[in-house]
């Protein structure tokens, strides 16, 4: 087994998993049944938490340059703007990236492919996972390319192969959920109207549903998403021209050209499990949900980030294999919560019953301006949508509490005397952070164990970021807090390292 892992699928989830494993020095193969990266924009928004992950890989600046940072989210009742969340209104201490990035999925994928190529990683296009079997000590697979079959053996199999996942089906995992009755359209169009050129996500609510538009490419293209009128949903070979009059009336712009148009139905499903033996699933293979909040691609990438460092640690014999169990417990819990949340939001936006129409046309347009007037509401909303608020407090890897930070929380971002605390995360190492002063015995142990210790002189802004003075935070490679210890209790740290056999990491 020269390659320890097989990644099936080279969409955003599989590509980021590959990029992470390459950074950790883990040999793998990545196969994709298609001939190259996708041609359509599909998923569009890259949220703050993903940009923070990309920062650890040193690619965020390049990614941001490829896309369009959004200035705001605007809520309209018909054509009248009712509320606006300006990202400039958010305090700068929430994240180094307090915005959402519009980046077409095809551009995003081609960039990730390019980064892998620069690292000497070749994606095996036109190659499909045909079958596999978990033998207990390894996974035996059959790959097929140009009708030629190849047998290959791996330590682990990662199914990043989409909603129709061969890996999920081969594992016999259920994929419970359903499909919304509405037929949606998505189009990338051109418009010379000034408001079509604004760097904002605009949501237009009406009695009949919604229409959303935002910039999609730096060339000036605009993305439209809306509901196909009931009288048109059964029409064969539906074209944008069929829905154009409705769309233009809903959003108040004139379309001058169409680059891409498609229709689709929205599904909401979560797999029974994300792991079985030596096989894992991630991204759309494990969960699909409504487009509310643009969470799908971001959630898949977060799956990849979570899984990569754990696989690397186990394969390098730097952690107990039991940490692999935490991939499912951490990510499936979030996926289920996300499905529930986006489902409720989606029903409000598209539902035809009286309560949903009332919420869409009365409650939201009039309540949103009041709620967005409070800074705390803006921060909570942004934390939910940006995925900065994801936490793993119930994970076996999460221990303790210091200040308002629990084990399992994302490490709060804060400015330091020499920059900011996220600079240290670029090493992708386990590390300890102390904001204030470290105890002598704590320092000596970290030095003797080779455990990186970062001591940041205390600043008032750290308290505003919910960090506790002189507390110790053991931070995982993905930037989440493993231990939050307000007392710098050395026994707590030593017991944790022993429990997960992490001492060999350093």
């Amino acid at each position: 087994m020269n390659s320890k892992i097989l990644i099936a699928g080279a969409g955003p989830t599989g590509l980021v998993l590959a990029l992470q494993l390459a950074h950790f020095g883990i040999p793998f193969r990545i196969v994709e049944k298609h001939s190259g990266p996708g041609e359509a924009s599909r998923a569009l928004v890259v949220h703050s938490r993903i940009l923070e992950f990309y920062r650890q890989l040193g690619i965020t600046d390049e990614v941001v340059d490829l896309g369009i940072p959004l200035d705001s989210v605007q809520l309209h009742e018909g054509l009248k703007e009712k509320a606006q969340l300006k990202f400039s209104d958010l305090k700068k201490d929430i994240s180094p990236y307090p915005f959402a990035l519009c980046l077409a999925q095809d551009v995003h994928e081609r960039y990730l492919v390019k980064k892998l190529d620069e690292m000497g990683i070749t994606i095996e296009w036109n190659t499909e996972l045909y079958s596999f079997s978990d033998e207990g000590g390894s996974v035996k697979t059959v790959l097929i390319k140009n009708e030629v079959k190849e047998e290959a053996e791996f330590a682990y199999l990662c199914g990043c192969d989409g909603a129709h996942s061969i890996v999920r089906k081969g594992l016999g995992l259920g994929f419970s959920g359903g499909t919304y009755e509405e037929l949606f359209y998505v189009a990338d169009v051109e418009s010379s109207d000034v408001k079509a050129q604004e760097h904002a996500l605009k949501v237009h609510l009406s009695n009949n549903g919604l229409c959303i538009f935002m910039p999609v490419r730096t060339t000036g293209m605009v993305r439209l998403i809306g509901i196909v009128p009931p009288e048109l949903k059964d029409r064969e070979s539906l074209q944008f021209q069929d829905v154009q009059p409705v769309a233009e009336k809903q959003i108040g712009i004139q379309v001058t050209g169409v680059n891409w148009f498609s229709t689709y139905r929205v599904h909401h499903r979560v797999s029974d499990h994300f792991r079985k033996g030596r096989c894992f699933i991630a991204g759309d293979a494990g969960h699909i949900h409504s487009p509310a909040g643009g969470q799908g691609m971001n959630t898949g990438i977060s799956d990849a980030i979570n899984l990569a460092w754990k696989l690397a640690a186990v394969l390098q014999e730097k952690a107990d294999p039991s940490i692999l169990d935490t991939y499912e417990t951490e990510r499936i819990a979030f996926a289920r919560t996300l499905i529930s949340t986006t489902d409720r939001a989606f029903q409000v936006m598209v539902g035809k019953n009286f309560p949903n129409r009332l919420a869409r046309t009365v409650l939201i347009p009039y309540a949103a301006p009041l709620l967005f007037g409070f800074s705390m509401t803006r921060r909570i909303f942004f934390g939910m949508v940006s995925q900065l608020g994801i936490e793993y407090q119930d994970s076996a890897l999460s221990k303790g509490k210091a200040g308002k930070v629990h084990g399992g929380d994302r490490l709060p971002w804060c400015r330091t005397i020499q920059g900011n605390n996220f600079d240290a995360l670029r090493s992708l190492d386990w590390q300890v952070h102390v904001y204030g002063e470290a105890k002598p015995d704590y320092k000596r142990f970290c030095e003797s164990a080779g455990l990186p210790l970062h001591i940041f002189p205390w600043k008032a802004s750290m308290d505003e970021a919910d960090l506790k003075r002189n507390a110790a935070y053991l931070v995982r490679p993905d930037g989440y807090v493993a231990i939050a210890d307000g007392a710098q209790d050395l026994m707590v740290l030593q017991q944790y390292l022993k429990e997960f056999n992490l001492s060999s990491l350093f």
Side-chain angles (χ1 to χ4, degrees):
M1 291 185 291
N2 293 326
S3 296
K4 296 294 185 181
I5 296 173
L6 175 65
I7 303 172
T13 300
L15 293 171
V16 172
L17 180 59
L19 200 58
Q20 285 277 100
L21 291 174
H23 273 272
F24 286 118
I26 302 299
F28 63 89
R29 292 174 65 180
I30 176 170
V31 301
E32 170 56 55
K33 64 181 179 180
H34 294 111
S35 60
E39 298 294 330
S41 54
R42 291 176 290 173
L44 186 60
V45 178
V46 181
H47 286 304
S48 298
R49 189 59 181 137
I50 303 306
L51 295 177
E52 291 180 352
F53 286 139
Y54 282 178
R55 190 174 193 266
Q56 292 184 263
L57 298 174
I59 64 175
T60 300
D61 290 346
E62 293 178 350
V63 170
V64 171
D65 286 344
L66 291 172
I68 302 171
L70 290 176
D71 297 328
S72 63
V73 176
Q74 300 174 10
L75 180 64
H76 295 252
E77 180 190 12
L79 298 179
K80 185 177 181 180
E81 182 181 315
K82 302 295 293 186
Q84 181 174 190
L85 171 62
K86 293 183 179 180
F87 294 125
S88 59
D89 291 341
L90 294 165
K91 286 187 176 181
K92 298 297 184 182
D93 61 3
I94 193 170
S95 170
Y97 310 105
F99 57 84
L101 181 73
C102 279
L103 180 63
Q105 184 173 332
D106 56 324
V107 177
H108 194 171
E109 288 185 11
R110 285 197 298 271
Y111 172 79
L112 295 173
V113 170
K114 172 175 170 285
K115 299 310 290 185
L116 286 169
D117 184 63
E118 291 174 358
M119 299 177 75
I121 305 300
T122 300
I123 298 169
E124 300 177 49
W125 304 107
N126 300 305
T127 305
E128 187 172 2
L129 174 64
Y130 180 76
S131 64
F132 66 92
S133 61
D134 187 339
E135 301 298 317
S138 66
V139 181
K140 292 185 177 180
T141 69
V142 176
L143 306 175
I144 185 167
K145 180 177 183 178
N146 299 327
E147 299 183 354
V148 177
K149 293 181 179 179
E150 172 200 355
E151 294 183 356
E153 189 174 3
F154 302 89
Y156 296 100
L157 168 63
C158 299
C160 306
D161 47 347
H164 302 289
S165 171
I166 295 295
V167 177
R168 188 191 65 245
K169 292 176 181 177
L171 294 173
L173 300 177
F175 203 35
S176 59
T179 304
Y180 298 104
E181 63 176 282
E182 292 81 9
L183 180 66
F184 283 77
Y185 69 83
V186 56
D188 290 350
V189 303
E190 299 171 3
S191 175
S192 58
D193 287 1
V194 173
K195 62 181 179 180
Q197 309 308 315
E198 295 177 2
H199 293 177
L201 186 154
K202 305 184 182 222
V203 181
H204 290 255
L205 298 175
S206 68
N207 191 52
N208 295 322
L210 84 160
C211 187
I212 299 171
F213 79 99
M214 70 194 88
V216 64
R217 299 183 189 275
T218 54
T219 55
M221 205 72 64
V222 178
R223 163 68 57 85
L224 301 182
I225 302 172
I227 302 174
V228 175
E231 64 272 16
L232 296 176
K233 68 178 184 179
D234 294 325
R235 179 176 296 186
E236 294 184 7
S237 302
L238 190 72
Q239 302 296 318
F240 178 74
Q241 290 77 5
D242 298 317
V243 300
Q244 183 172 353
V246 176
E248 290 182 338
K249 183 178 179 181
Q250 283 181 307
I251 61 180
I253 67 170
Q254 185 175 2
V255 173
T256 56
V258 182
N259 181 57
W260 176 65
F261 173 79
S262 183
T263 59
Y264 65 100
R265 293 192 182 275
V266 174
H267 306 271
H268 50 108
R269 300 180 185 278
V270 181
S271 177
D272 293 344
H273 294 282
F274 285 6
R275 179 196 183 186
K276 189 173 182 180
R278 290 182 168 269
C279 303
F280 301 83
I281 56 174
D284 286 355
H287 48 81
I288 52 176
H289 36 77
S290 88
Q295 302 293 304
M297 179 183 66
N298 291 267
T299 303
I301 292 174
S302 293
D303 291 343
I305 298 288
N306 189 290
L307 181 58
W309 71 264
K310 295 173 181 177
L311 283 170
V314 171
L315 286 169
Q316 293 170 340
E317 298 184 346
K318 294 180 177 180
D320 191 273
S322 64
I323 71 166
L324 294 176
D325 293 334
T326 66
Y327 167 68
E328 175 173 301
T329 56
E330 291 180 356
R331 295 307 300 168
I332 203 168
F334 173 68
R336 288 168 176 164
T337 300
L338 183 63
I339 289 286
S340 176
T341 303
T342 57
D343 181 59
R344 290 195 298 269
F346 195 67
Q347 290 287 5
V348 169
M349 289 193 293
V350 306
K352 297 176 182 178
N353 62 33
F354 177 74
N356 287 331
R357 292 201 309 270
L358 179 66
R360 190 164 58 241
T361 59
V362 179
L363 297 181
I364 293 177
Y366 290 94
L370 176 63
L371 293 174
F372 279 3
F374 296 98
S375 60
M376 181 58 70
T377 303
R378 294 195 297 269
R379 288 173 67 89
I380 291 173
F381 176 80
F382 182 74
M384 292 172 56
V385 174
S386 65
Q387 298 202 352
L388 297 179
I390 294 175
E391 48 83 6
Y392 306 130
Q393 293 180 11
D394 294 332
S395 172
L397 291 176
S398 304
K399 311 289 185 182
K401 178 184 178 184
K404 295 181 181 179
V405 177
H406 294 76
D409 289 349
R410 160 188 168 269
L411 178 71
W413 179 77
C414 70
R415 300 186 187 279
T416 64
I417 291 176
Q418 296 182 333
N420 66 80
N421 62 335
F422 274 24
D423 288 341
L425 302 182
R426 291 177 176 173
S427 66
L428 294 170
D429 289 327
W430 285 84
Q431 55 193 266
V432 175
H433 286 203
V434 173
Y435 299 86
E437 299 180 0
K439 292 181 178 180
D441 64 336
Y442 218 87
K443 290 178 65 175
R444 284 194 298 269
F445 174 78
C446 290
E447 289 171 0
S448 64
L451 175 59
L453 171 63
H454 300 277
I455 303 172
F456 303 98
W458 183 257
K459 293 180 61 178
S461 60
M462 295 173 177
D463 182 64
E464 294 175 3
D466 295 334
L467 295 162
K468 184 178 180 180
R469 189 168 190 168
N470 299 332
Y473 302 90
L474 177 64
V475 184
R476 305 173 357 172
D478 57 0
Y480 284 90
V481 175
I483 301 175
D485 178 13
Q488 289 189 46
D489 187 335
L490 185 55
M491 291 293 292
V492 171
L493 176 61
Q494 292 173 327
Q495 179 60 38
Y496 186 95
L497 298 178
K498 181 179 180 181
E499 179 181 355
F500 297 104
N501 195 27
L502 296 174
S503 297
S504 58
L505 275 169
F506 322 117

